[in-house]
Amino acid sequence: SNHHVNNVEYVRMAMEYLSYGEENGLKVDDVSQIRVEYKNAAVMGDIIVPQVYSDSESVQVKLSNKENNTFAVVEFIK
């Protein structure tokens, strides 16, 4: 409704990056917990730009627009 991105879609977008397990050190099978922080709603026509941050315990995917306004941060924890 209202042409907003459904919350589960942010998680799905972020999970696409886990398919590149060699790159970020974490694969979908390694995930024990997912934490999501929703900031602003993306709407139809928004371009979503991912930024990936990782350490030995987790991978965070920040989903924002071209101006770096954050829509959501999804953290995948081992």
Side-chain angles (χ1 to χ4, degrees), residues 42-55:
V43 295
M44 185 179 290
D46 281 338
I47 295 174
I48 298 175
V49 179
Q51 296 174 322
V52 180
Y53 307 93
S54 63
D55 60 29

Side-chain angles (χ1 to χ4, degrees), residues 5-62:
V5 173
N6 184 290
N7 287 350
V8 73
E9 292 304 319
Y10 295 111
V11 176
R12 286 184 184 158
M13 285 182 239
M15 286 183 75
E16 287 182 27
Y17 284 87
L18 292 186
S19 65
Y20 305 109
E22 302 296 320
E23 196 171 291
N24 58 42
L26 187 66
K27 296 180 183 172
V28 174
D29 291 344
D30 297 335
V31 175
S32 66
Q33 185 176 355
I34 299 174
R35 187 184 73 76
V36 185
E37 186 174 335
Y38 300 101
K39 299 284 193 170
N40 296 294
V43 295
M44 185 179 290
D46 281 338
I47 295 174
I48 298 175
V49 179
Q51 296 174 322
V52 180
Y53 307 93
S54 63
D55 60 29
S56 62
E57 298 299 317
S58 67
V59 173
Q60 290 185 354
V61 181
K62 177 183 171 188

